Amino acid sequence: MPLRDGVSGKSRLAAVLDAASRRRLVRVLARHVVATLLASDGIGRVVVVTADPAFARDTLAGLEVEVLEQPADRPGLNPALEHARAHLLAESPRSARLLVAHADLPALTPADVTALLAQDAPVVVATDRNRSGTNLLLLPSGAGFRFRFGTGSLAAHLAEAETRGLAATVVDRPGTAVDLDTADDWSQLPDEVRAVVGQQVPGLRASC
């Protein structure tokens, strides 16, 4: 799981949340995603890759997670994931599967994770609510698959799978489809999820 620092994260919510509230939101969402992964059958290990390991360790204190520092000379999301994969491959068989999960999925449940792991295709893409991005990505860790997170990543990841000769499938579930980057994302969340997150980050309830 990639995790940004506590300063730059959730910048698109700056109009409705101050810096302290955005930092709090990053913490709340990251803890939720990690706890969900740890509670999911089929997940053997959770590694968080970040350029700010102190923030990550503080945020995830008490959870059974490994924090991996992203090299300063390899900035960006895709290089961070390449670094994490190399780290895992050094200790795990190349046949193992790797699940990339973004750290801002407030509606994610263990059932969602189980549904991804149960797919027959080697590459599984859980798309966002606009069916253009990638919120979770499951792939064989040793396949040489290039991460293509960014604008239009759903199509880019499907194209990458085709290039590698790997069958791919797309999963679209309520728990995997909505991340939380904008006020509009907030409005798309189930009421019960907004209640939980809003209790921990009151500024969201007051401003969105």
Side-chain angles (χ1 to χ4, degrees), residues 9 37-38 41 45-46 66 69-70 81 91 114 151 157 165 201:
L37 292 172
L38 290 171
D41 292 337
R45 179 181 183 186
V46 177
E66 177 183 349
E69 184 171 6
Q70 180 178 0
L81 294 173
E91 304 175 2
T114 298
T151 303
H157 283 135
V201 188

Side-chain angles (χ1 to χ4, degrees), residues 84-103:
R85 177 167 57 184
H87 173 76
L88 290 168
L89 279 173
E91 304 175 2
S92 305
R94 296 180 66 83
S95 59
R97 294 190 297 173
L98 173 65
L99 175 65
V100 177
H102 285 318

Side-chain angles (χ1 to χ4, degrees), residues 1-4 49 75-85 98-105 116 123-128 132-139 145-160 176 179 181:
M1 186 184 84
L3 180 62
R4 296 182 66 175
V49 59
L77 174 57
N78 292 317
L81 294 173
E82 295 286 359
H83 176 64
R85 177 167 57 184
L98 173 65
L99 175 65
V100 177
H102 285 318
D104 61 348
L105 303 171
L116 262 70
V123 175
V124 182
V125 184
T127 186
D128 62 4
S132 63
T134 305
N135 282 342
L136 299 101
L137 176 65
L138 178 67
L139 68 156
F145 190 98
R146 289 181 60 192
F147 297 111
R148 296 183 177 273
F149 286 95
T151 303
S153 65
L154 171 60
H157 283 135
L158 293 177
E160 177 68 15
T176 61
D179 51 13
D181 286 321

